[in-house]
Amino acid sequence: MSEYIETTLTENEQAVLRTDTRQILADLFQLAQPEPGAMLVVGCSTSEILGQHIGRAGCEILGKIIAEEVLAAAKMHQIYAAAQCCEHLNRTLALEKTVAQHFGYQIVSAVPKPHAGGSFAAAFYSLLEKPVLVESVQADLGLDIGLTLIGMHLKRVAVPLRLGATHLGQAVITAAKTRPPLIGGERAQYQ
């Protein structure tokens, strides 16, 4: 395994990435129009944002910036948010314990750290009142920053969203909302 290098950012770089993250989240909420009580899942590679290979050059301050923006946006829109950890924690998710209990999600025992979980998930976890990890969620909308593969945590059926931005830093961003599956045949009517 390659050496993990913690990277730093100037104050100006931090400000730009915070503003860009805020705009990406605003676009996501405008397009997805989630109802209060919906679940948002976010996966984020700070390494990819900085132009490095996923899991190789994390940035704790960047993880915190993005976590703060995700939590602020979720609160403003009255929805729940979950942060996906990296593959070293089997892509578990950090969220508030009350939310895990509300949805009946399986709580697991681990604490995300920058080297095992990721800088974003570790920061997100640290900002929660009563944080837990869960095995999986069934989210109504999602944001993937740096090809972290959040699709396993979205409800069926995922609908891709085209945001105004295609990258955060150098990381590719993708977003989706979900809709109920259409069932029935030629006689079925859909609203």
Side-chain angles (χ1 to χ4, degrees), residues 80 132 135-136 184:
Y80 304 114
V132 295
E135 288 185 309
S136 65

Side-chain angles (χ1 to χ4, degrees), residues 17 20-21 24 48-49 66 145 166-173:
L17 288 166
D20 290 351
T21 301
I24 288 165
E48 290 283 336
I49 293 170
I66 296 168
I145 304 168
T166 58
H167 289 78
L168 177 59
Q170 294 186 45
V172 173
I173 57 170

Side-chain angles (χ1 to χ4, degrees), residues 60-176:
E60 291 182 38
I61 189 65
L62 180 52
K64 184 177 182 201
I65 288 167
I66 296 168
E68 288 171 345
E69 292 302 321
V70 168
L71 288 166
K75 183 176 182 180
M76 182 172 56
H77 292 277
Q78 301 176 347
I79 68 165
Y80 304 114
Q84 180 181 270
C85 295
C86 74
E87 66 180 296
H88 297 99
L89 290 181
N90 297 321
R91 304 205 194 289
T92 56
L93 301 115
L95 57 112
E96 287 286 358
K97 184 176 185 178
T98 55
V99 176
Q101 292 170 330
H102 170 76
F103 285 104
Y105 294 142
Q106 178 64 54
I107 296 173
V108 296
S109 294
V111 175
K113 299 294 180 186
H115 302 277
S119 295
F120 165 69
F124 189 95
Y125 187 93
S126 74
L127 293 170
L128 300 175
E129 288 182 32
K130 292 186 179 178
V132 295
L133 289 187
V134 298
E135 288 185 309
S136 65
V137 299
Q138 292 294 301
D140 302 287
L141 65 158
L143 180 63
D144 188 320
I145 304 168
L147 305 173
T148 62
L149 303 175
I150 62 162
M152 68 183 83
H153 298 300
L154 292 172
K155 289 179 180 175
R156 292 183 61 233
V157 170
V159 178
L161 297 174
R162 186 178 292 268
L163 303 180
T166 58
H167 289 78
L168 177 59
Q170 294 186 45
V172 173
I173 57 170
T174 55

Side-chain angles (χ1 to χ4, degrees), residues 8-81:
T8 59
L9 295 171
T10 66
E11 287 187 23
N12 185 57
E13 290 169 326
Q14 291 176 38
V16 167
L17 288 166
R18 182 179 293 280
T19 299
D20 290 351
T21 301
R22 193 174 290 154
Q23 184 59 53
I24 288 165
L25 288 162
D27 288 352
L28 172 63
F29 284 103
Q30 182 179 3
L31 290 170
Q33 295 290 309
E35 294 182 14
M39 174 66 74
L40 164 68
V41 62
V42 178
C44 174
S45 168
T46 60
S47 299
E48 290 283 336
I49 293 170
L50 299 172
Q52 301 296 318
H53 188 274
I54 192 168
R56 298 292 188 259
C59 182
E60 291 182 38
I61 189 65
L62 180 52
K64 184 177 182 201
I65 288 167
I66 296 168
E68 288 171 345
E69 292 302 321
V70 168
L71 288 166
K75 183 176 182 180
M76 182 172 56
H77 292 277
Q78 301 176 347
I79 68 165
Y80 304 114

